[in-house]
Every structure is written in structure tokens, then in C-alpha cells.
């Protein structure tokens, strides 16, 4: 799949966001090195901190199926499901990416549409990070 197609896949997943509280829909499409794509949405909770972001939903879906090597993630989001600006990943999601992804080669793509997106490495978004190697 092309990046443009993966962005469209993320946009299509926005309808599944469970956001009765914020109304801010977020969807992610995580591309594994084996070519599989895992979508994820934010799932909110009446006890607000129990909310799970879209990016983490995608990662946890993949990891729970035994997939732990990733190429890039696409993130889209907006109020009421209308994507009008770039949705940047929160700090907790960046740290989850750090657990499984190479800092220099894993790419985070934030998109407004299939033809309007920005791309970063994880190192750009989470410099001086703490990761698995620090615990050996
Ligand atoms: N949210 C995400 O799903 N991903 C992000 O990177 C930013 C924030 C969600 C959490 C919550 O459901 C809503 O957006 C508003 O914070």
C-alpha cells in the first residue's frame, strides 16, 4: 500500500472512534514490516484517564497478535471527525512507539488528507528518550 492509501485507511477508521466526551476523533494506521496494517482509534471512558489513544490502540492490537516490527504510523484526527489540522501524537504514545521502534528509521506521519501530510522520525519527536536498552 502507498502512504496515500494508508492515510485513507486511517481516515476511514475515524468513524469508529469512541469519543462521547471530547468528540475529538483520532485514528491511526500502523504499518508493520511484514506489510500488515493495524488501525486503531481512541476509546474514551467515563472515568477520563482510562481513555486509550488511537496510536496505542493500533500498537497494542499488533503486539497482541505477535507483530513487533514496524515501518511507520499514520495519524489523523479532528473535532467531530473532521480533519482540519495535523494531529500530533501525545507523549505517552511517543513513549510506546519508543518501546518497539527504531528511533532513526521509524516514521510518524501526521496527515490532513492523502495528499497533505508531514513526516518525522521518532527521534525528532522524542529526543533524549529512555528505552529498552537503558534497562540492560
Ligand atoms: N488522542 C489520541 O487518540 N491520540 C493523540 O495523539 C492525541 C489525543 C485522543 C485522546 C482523547 O480521546 C481525545 O484525543 C482528546 O484528547
Amino acid at each position: 500500500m502507498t502512504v496515500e492509501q494508508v492515510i485513507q485507511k486511517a481516515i476511514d477508521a475515524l468513524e469508529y472512534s469512541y469519543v462521547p466526551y471530547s468528540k475529538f476523533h483520532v485514528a491511526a494506521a500502523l504499518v508493520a514490516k511484514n506489510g500488515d496494517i493495524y488501525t486503531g482509534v481512541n476509546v474514551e471512558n467515563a472515568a477520563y484517564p482510562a481513555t486509550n489513544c488511537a496510536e496505542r490502540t493500533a500498537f497494542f492490537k499488533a503486539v497482541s497478535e505477535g507483530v513487533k516490527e514496524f515501518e511507520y504510523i499514520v495519524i489523523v484526527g479532528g473535532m467531530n471527525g473532521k480533519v482540519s489540522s495535523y494531529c500530533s501524537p501525545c507523549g505517552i504514545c511517543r513513549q510506546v512507539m519508543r518501546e518497539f521502534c527504531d528511533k532513526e528509521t521509524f516514521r510518524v506521519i501526521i496527515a490532513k488528507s492523502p495528499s497533505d501530510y508531514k513526516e518525522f522520525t521518532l527521534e525528532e519527536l522524542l529526543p533524549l528518550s529512555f528505552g529498552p536498552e537503558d534497562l540492560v
Side-chain angles (χ1 to χ4, degrees):
M1 257 196 186
T2 63
V3 169
E4 289 74 11
Q5 287 170 324
V6 176
I7 293 171
Q8 189 55 54
K9 209 170 161 61
I11 292 170
D12 291 344
L14 281 171
E15 67 173 296
Y16 303 125
S17 281
Y18 177 74
V19 288
Y21 308 106
S22 75
K23 317 277 189 227
F24 191 83
H25 295 240
V26 185
L30 177 62
V31 180
K33 285 191 176 162
N34 68 9
D36 288 351
I37 300 172
Y38 294 85
T39 57
V41 297
N42 49 339
V43 182
E44 297 188 343
N45 193 284
Y48 295 176
T51 292
N52 206 59
C53 289
E55 299 89 322
R56 275 176 287 147
T57 302
F59 268 89
F60 297 158
K61 277 174 70 178
V63 173
S64 61
E65 292 185 19
V67 174
K68 285 183 291 238
E69 292 185 11
F70 305 105
E71 249 183 66
Y72 68 93
I73 190 168
V74 164
I75 305 160
V76 295
M79 283 305 296
N80 302 309
K82 260 188 73 85
V83 182
S84 52
S85 56
Y86 299 110
C87 179
S88 195
C90 82
I92 296 173
C93 289
R94 293 177 198 206
Q95 186 63 36
V96 168
M97 293 174 199
R98 176 69 176 82
E99 186 67 24
F100 299 102
C101 306
D102 183 272
K103 293 184 283 190
E104 308 293 344
T105 59
F106 182 74
R107 293 170 294 142
V108 178
I109 295 177
I110 53 178
K112 285 191 201 170
S113 75
S115 58
D116 182 351
Y117 60 89
K118 291 187 196 177
E119 189 169 321
F120 302 91
T121 64
L122 184 53
E123 177 61 18
E124 288 176 301
L125 296 186
L126 194 68
L128 284 175
S129 59
F130 187 87
E133 329 74 67
D134 293 301
L135 291 178
V136 291

